[in-house]
Amino acid sequence: AGCTPRRCGRGVTDAVITKEEAERIRRIAERGLALGGSDGGASILDLHSGALSLGKHFVNLYRYFGDKIQDIFTEEDFALYRDVRQRIQERIAQAFGISSVSMYLTKPTFFSRINSTAARTAHDEYWHPHVDKVTYGSFDYTSLLYLSDYTEDFGGGRFVFMDTGSNKTVEPRAGRVSFFTSGSENLHRVERVEWGTRYAVTISFTCNPGHAIGDPVL
């Protein structure tokens, strides 16, 4: 109640996050991912769980680096991250006519850095079509905040909704937010990145408080 939409759907907006804010958030991702990175083309940084790609595996950022984390991130970084997350949540609620307080942040919520390096593990094969509700289970609403620009920072890497009879394609732009209901109505994929580096952050929400997570705290 209060969270299930009257209809499924999707939206794209450039009016929630400024380009300057996106650049600040991208710097958070760059600093965190500089501590590790996948051997393949897709690297993940999750500030909530601490998961960080390192080679062919993941480490816990907070345990692996300990107190040195204080030299990488600031309280202002985390405050901006929380503020942006809240604005995206409110925009989704407005678009679908639901209550934002009935939505809960859920895992995984993460930064992604994708380049043209060949895949080394199944995790690196980000381009396969999928449904978020099937892949992650707890997702009811998915959002992506793009942190770099298509054709300027990277080639390929567009987000494709795979509709019957026609595809709908989103071109990433720093500050652009794409959001959608997470079920089978929104089968999608990401094109392979051909050159450059694509940064984004996936922020996901659930209607089930049992699947809720808190905002990351430094």
Side-chain angles (χ1 to χ4, degrees), residues 21-143:
E21 288 171 329
E23 289 171 353
R24 289 171 59 194
I25 293 176
R26 174 174 166 170
R27 286 195 290 272
I28 298 172
E30 289 173 335
R31 291 199 302 273
L33 286 162
L35 300 173
S38 167
D39 287 343
S43 299
I44 297 298
L45 167 65
D46 185 334
L47 293 180
H48 300 262
S49 69
L52 172 69
S53 299
L54 187 65
K56 293 183 176 64
H57 307 284
F58 290 92
V59 296
N60 186 300
L61 179 77
Y62 303 120
R63 287 204 298 265
Y64 198 79
F65 294 99
D67 292 340
K68 293 180 181 178
I69 289 298
Q70 304 286 340
D71 300 325
I72 306 300
F73 304 117
T74 67
E75 292 288 355
E76 290 76 14
D77 292 335
F78 278 55
L80 175 62
Y81 181 91
R82 291 191 295 269
D83 178 55
V84 164
R85 187 275 303 168
Q86 183 63 44
R87 275 185 268 163
I88 292 173
Q89 182 170 341
E90 290 170 355
R91 181 66 186 89
I92 293 172
Q94 179 188 39
F96 288 103
I98 60 176
S99 168
S100 65
V101 298
S102 298
M103 302 166 60
Y104 304 90
L105 195 65
T106 193
K107 63 180 181 181
T109 287
F110 56 90
F111 290 100
S112 59
R113 182 186 70 194
I114 304 175
N115 58 36
S116 59
T117 304
R120 298 289 191 271
T121 68
H123 169 76
D124 294 321
E125 297 183 14
Y126 56 84
W127 52 81
H128 298 297
H130 65 278
V131 171
D132 284 353
K133 188 70 174 174
V134 174
T135 302
Y136 300 111
S138 63
F139 284 28
D140 289 310
Y141 297 93
T142 306
S143 71

